[in-house]
Amino acid sequence: MHSPPLSPQLLNCLTPEENTGCQHGLYFQDGERRVDYILTYHIKKPSSSRSNRQSSRFTDNAFTRSLRRGTARLGRAPTPQPRGDPEVASQDHSMDYHVDDKRLHREEFEGNLRDMGMELEKDEDTKTPGVGFVKIHAPWHVLCREAEFMKLKMPTKKVYEMKQSTGVGAKINTLVNKVTEPLYPNVEDNRTHNVKHLSYMFSREKQHLFDLSDRDSFFDSKTRASIVSVIVSSRSSMTCGPCNACYVLTFSCFVFQLLYEEWASYSVFYKYQPIGLVRKYFGEKIGLYFAWLGLYTQMLIPASLVGVIVFLYGCATVDDNIPSMEICHPKNNITMCPLCDRACSYWKLKEACGTARASHLFDNPATVFFSIFMALWAAMFMEHWKRRQMRLNYEWDLTGFEEEEVSDHPRAEYELRVMQKSLKKEHKTQKVLTEKEKLTCKDRLPAYMTNVVMMLLMIGVTFAIVFGVILYRISTKTALHMSNNPTTRSNVRLTVKTTAAIINLVVILILDEVYGAVARWLTVLEVPKTDKSFEERLIFKTFILKFVNAFTPIIYIAFFRGRLVGRPGSYLYVFESYRMEECAHGGCLMELCIQLSITMLGKQLIQNNLFEIGIPKLKKLIRYIKSKRRSFQEEEREKKLQRYETDHFLEPFAGLTPEYMEMIIQFGFVTLFVASFPLAPLFALLNNIIEIRLDAKKFVAELRRPVAARAKDIGIWYNLLRAVAKVAVIINAFVISFTSDFIPRLVYQYMYSPDGSMHGFVNHTLSYFNVSNFQDGKEPMDPQHQVEMCRYKDYREPPWSNTPYVISKEFWAVLAARLAFVIVFQNVVMLMSDIVDWLIPDIPKDISLQIHKEKILMVELFMKEEQGKIQFIDSMMPCGGKEKRNNHAPIARSRSIPHTHSHTHANNF
């Protein structure tokens, strides 16, 4: 059963009387002041051996605090004075002093918060042993002050009606809304409203513009928490100050019930997400992520349908494919050269019948069309997202918001490094650092050099592992060919392909975790100035390393395997003993498909789903075990614990980077090699349907509620998406041209075929080799057939020509056609993508009109306010003064009011 629609006021403030069980721990002891933020710290109970020392050492706590502050100003740490015999000072004594020093530091930090106007309440007598809690409440005047500093846009009293579109488009939209009505969640905020509050940046001088009838509900819970978070982080060099953790309380059972039933439940997988509710509870940044993920999943539906049609076309035409029919013909008696030295024997081409038929499922003319379609699909997705993002910016009052307003504050680590450099310079030259001298490129040069070296080293590790897997395939194939079991010998290719792909998958999963830690370490070394800069650098490094890690094995199979082989009698060897591996007769496209499918499905099932479910639950279990709690006591304990104690056992929020990263890598699987695996969009769609609900459940039930962060776009992730989409065009052009047999088939059909058909294509692609030309010790040990000539796939002159085994003219004709196709395909598809980009406007027309209307209404509101002030002044002045002022005011009024306000407030939008 669905919950009733949620009222907007429900998200703002709930009184203690409403559902007391769910509100347990959301208020101070007085039951009136709400808890906006929580700090936690460790409590160490004093032992009998130190209780006397503690009482004597810290009797005058105020004196000790003043002593610490004084020594800190002088730039040196306070020195503890030993009491009694020095031999008594043991290791326990120093540990006790460290604990007490942290306590004094925390008390000083709490004093700073109180100086900022925050109200604090401690709770050390909890049911969570070893953990103390500090509840923080932000009074009204603090909220107003910080909201003005943070330039928060708040709804004013002015309400206007949103213009509804008319015409054929509006009728179609109404019809679509009626049809899709069952797909919308049962949430009031998800419905379209005809009226909207005019928003303006909050100002204490203009409080009369805002509806302050209910001050408790004016700033909602996420806004209050974000304000307190900014204050807490600004009072210390660490995010949570000297405390161990800081977090926002989860809200109420009403919200949880709605989020569970309409968002985090797998039973509503077919419904749209309540993005408005997600934004109101978690903030704009997380709301944008889920809006982007939802749109991406919707756009995968048409891509999946077309991909399935392409695959079914391959299945339907496999019996009519002339090259595979020639390979599978019973009278085919073509003898192929051995696939390895000594252990392998000659083999018949008809043994590759299954591989040839399977390759046609992915290597057919429809895959070229599908590659063009997916390039245009990526362009449509980008444009659709820009329009969706602009609509959300308007609905969420972010049209005038600039991210630099809240992201230009220096990071605590940056300020610490600047302070260290300043102390060194003051010690040497007695001068203070200027703004330009704080942290220059010269200071960061060692970190930059370390970044470059480590990035190259990590990429080298990836290449080395891929090379190791190549050696595994070569050696395993030789060993299996030497087996006495005929079943083993007949399934050598499938066994080697599958096991190598699984090994690659395991290595990719392990290196992903390693590369994530390395990228963070390298970013910390750089000491970026702002949080935005830190996040962007971390994302870029992580993306490069994980992208190379995921796609290097696939790129090797697509573009290098089978091309660095040589020919019979003159093969290329690694370490003079390992012969480079060849592709099957049907080409490497089938092997590329196997590698791509195993890697993609493995990452989605293991890394994206099992890890996301298992790791948070495991960490939560470890916290319970550490707190000496048992699972059978959980239900009873949950009834007794305060809300902030329950949240303490949840996993801390680690940011959206892992969520975006897995989707960007998936986007690469969907677009980069889609010519070889048309079912990739379908598997991505099925994964994302589960991923949305899985992420929703994780955010609601497994993670602490994150501090709401404002954002008007998805940041650097959009640039990475565009880059992947552009690279996908080039890679698919090379896959079709060089990995598949599409171009060789066209060249044969229109240049060499006697009747313009594909009959004789297989024989045309095979060259001859005289077995007497084998190098000594490389011929088969136990040949099953007595042959004089064997065939191999290449364009070379026969042994009886004047230039035996030299590359033939057919090779150069095919190469020229391949290069021409790459150039034409790339330019045509990119031109079509640019046309799509040009035809679709970034801002929807109705949103553009509404934004313009808001600017006009804002100017009218301030003009009306000025006129009201003037009338009030006129009513208070004597008649003589009024006449004197009226003689001069009209000119000034006509110059200042319309122009100044229209210009100023237009810029704000």
Side-chain angles (χ1 to χ4, degrees), residues 511-579:
L511 289 184
D512 267 354
E513 303 301 320
V514 175
Y515 287 166
V518 170
R520 177 168 291 276
W521 173 65
L522 293 177
T523 308
V524 170
L525 285 181
E526 291 183 2
V527 196
K529 183 176 182 180
T530 63
D531 287 328
K532 182 180 180 181
S533 176
F534 180 90
E535 185 180 26
E536 289 181 349
R537 296 185 187 196
L538 174 62
I539 290 170
F540 182 74
K541 292 182 183 65
T542 308
F543 172 76
I544 293 296
L545 292 175
K546 292 192 174 184
F547 186 87
V548 171
N549 182 39
F551 290 101
T552 298
I554 299 172
I555 291 174
Y556 162 74
I557 294 175
F559 303 125
F560 296 99
R561 184 176 178 183
R563 288 168 178 80
L564 305 174
V565 178
R567 61 169 179 83
S570 181
Y571 283 114
L572 296 179
Y573 291 89
V574 180
F575 304 136
E576 299 182 355
S577 57
Y578 294 98
R579 191 177 111 185

Side-chain angles (χ1 to χ4, degrees), residues 787-803:
V787 295
E788 295 181 359
M789 293 284 179
C790 64
R791 310 290 295 274
Y792 62 99
K793 188 175 182 180
D794 204 350
Y795 291 101
R796 291 182 181 271
E797 296 291 341
W800 56 82
S801 69
N802 296 328
T803 55

Side-chain angles (χ1 to χ4, degrees), residues 469-650:
V469 176
I470 294 172
L471 295 182
Y472 161 80
R473 277 201 292 254
I474 295 172
S475 58
T476 305
K477 183 173 67 175
T478 304
L480 293 177
H481 273 294
M482 296 175 66
S483 174
N484 296 325
N485 190 340
T487 306
T488 303
R489 290 199 303 270
S490 61
N491 295 301
V492 169
R493 283 186 177 274
L494 181 61
T495 303
V496 172
K497 292 175 190 176
T498 307
T499 56
I502 293 174
I503 291 173
N504 270 322
L505 171 63
V506 174
V507 171
I508 287 171
L509 295 178
I510 295 173
L511 289 184
D512 267 354
E513 303 301 320
V514 175
Y515 287 166
V518 170
R520 177 168 291 276
W521 173 65
L522 293 177
T523 308
V524 170
L525 285 181
E526 291 183 2
V527 196
K529 183 176 182 180
T530 63
D531 287 328
K532 182 180 180 181
S533 176
F534 180 90
E535 185 180 26
E536 289 181 349
R537 296 185 187 196
L538 174 62
I539 290 170
F540 182 74
K541 292 182 183 65
T542 308
F543 172 76
I544 293 296
L545 292 175
K546 292 192 174 184
F547 186 87
V548 171
N549 182 39
F551 290 101
T552 298
I554 299 172
I555 291 174
Y556 162 74
I557 294 175
F559 303 125
F560 296 99
R561 184 176 178 183
R563 288 168 178 80
L564 305 174
V565 178
R567 61 169 179 83
S570 181
Y571 283 114
L572 296 179
Y573 291 89
V574 180
F575 304 136
E576 299 182 355
S577 57
Y578 294 98
R579 191 177 111 185
M580 292 298 293
E581 52 186 347
E582 303 176 46
C583 292
H585 180 76
C588 285
L589 204 66
M590 188 62 194
E591 298 182 28
L592 177 62
C593 177
I594 293 174
Q595 178 69 56
L596 190 64
S597 60
I598 291 179
T599 304
M600 180 179 180
L601 295 177
K603 280 180 66 66
Q604 290 182 165
L605 292 176
I606 299 174
Q607 189 178 45
N608 299 355
N609 293 331
L610 294 181
F611 283 6
E612 288 189 8
I613 297 174
I615 291 180
K617 288 186 178 296
L618 181 61
K619 290 182 177 180
K620 186 177 180 181
L621 178 63
I622 291 174
R623 286 194 185 91
Y624 282 141
I625 294 175
K626 285 184 177 180
S627 63
K628 298 180 181 180
R629 300 182 183 277
R630 297 294 181 265
S631 58
F632 63 85
Q633 298 173 338
E634 183 172 348
E635 184 177 352
E636 183 180 354
R637 182 181 67 255
E638 292 292 342
K639 296 178 181 179
K640 297 179 181 179
L641 288 180
Q642 300 276 358
R643 172 71 65 181
Y644 47 83
E645 293 181 85
T646 305
D647 291 353
H648 174 72
F649 292 102
L650 299 177

Side-chain angles (χ1 to χ4, degrees), residues 150-151 201 400-409 710:
M150 296 170 64
K151 300 181 181 179
M201 283 185 292
F401 168 71
E402 293 297 334
E403 204 163 345
E404 288 76 11
E405 295 174 359
V406 295
S407 62
D408 281 346
H409 303 293
R710 290 183 296 166

Side-chain angles (χ1 to χ4, degrees), residues 410-515:
R411 296 173 61 244
E413 293 80 358
Y414 175 83
E415 291 183 333
L416 180 62
R417 182 69 66 86
V418 170
M419 183 180 67
Q420 292 173 350
K421 182 180 178 182
S422 177
L423 290 175
K424 290 181 180 179
K425 184 172 182 179
E426 289 180 15
H427 182 70
K428 292 179 179 179
T429 62
Q430 302 298 321
K431 292 182 180 179
V432 181
L433 286 176
T434 62
E435 185 66 27
K436 293 183 178 180
E437 294 176 332
K438 284 189 174 180
L439 274 186
T440 61
C441 292
K442 184 178 179 181
D443 298 319
R444 291 193 174 100
L445 184 59
Y448 291 153
M449 295 298 295
T450 305
N451 270 259
V452 173
V453 172
M454 287 298 298
M455 292 282 286
L456 293 176
L457 178 62
M458 293 297 103
I459 294 174
V461 169
T462 302
F463 289 162
I465 291 175
V466 171
F467 183 70
V469 176
I470 294 172
L471 295 182
Y472 161 80
R473 277 201 292 254
I474 295 172
S475 58
T476 305
K477 183 173 67 175
T478 304
L480 293 177
H481 273 294
M482 296 175 66
S483 174
N484 296 325
N485 190 340
T487 306
T488 303
R489 290 199 303 270
S490 61
N491 295 301
V492 169
R493 283 186 177 274
L494 181 61
T495 303
V496 172
K497 292 175 190 176
T498 307
T499 56
I502 293 174
I503 291 173
N504 270 322
L505 171 63
V506 174
V507 171
I508 287 171
L509 295 178
I510 295 173
L511 289 184
D512 267 354
E513 303 301 320
V514 175
Y515 287 166

Side-chain angles (χ1 to χ4, degrees), residues 362-372 558-559 563 589 592 674-676 729-746 818 821-822 825:
F362 307 100
D363 187 5
N364 56 71
T367 57
V368 180
F369 158 76
F370 190 53
S371 299
I372 298 174
F559 303 125
R563 288 168 178 80
L589 204 66
L592 177 62
V674 73
S676 63
V729 176
I730 302 173
I731 287 184
N732 281 300
F734 276 93
V735 168
I736 296 171
S737 182
F738 286 89
T739 308
S740 72
D741 282 338
F742 177 75
I743 298 301
R745 287 197 296 263
L746 287 181
R818 282 173 164 166
F821 177 83
V822 168
F825 182 89

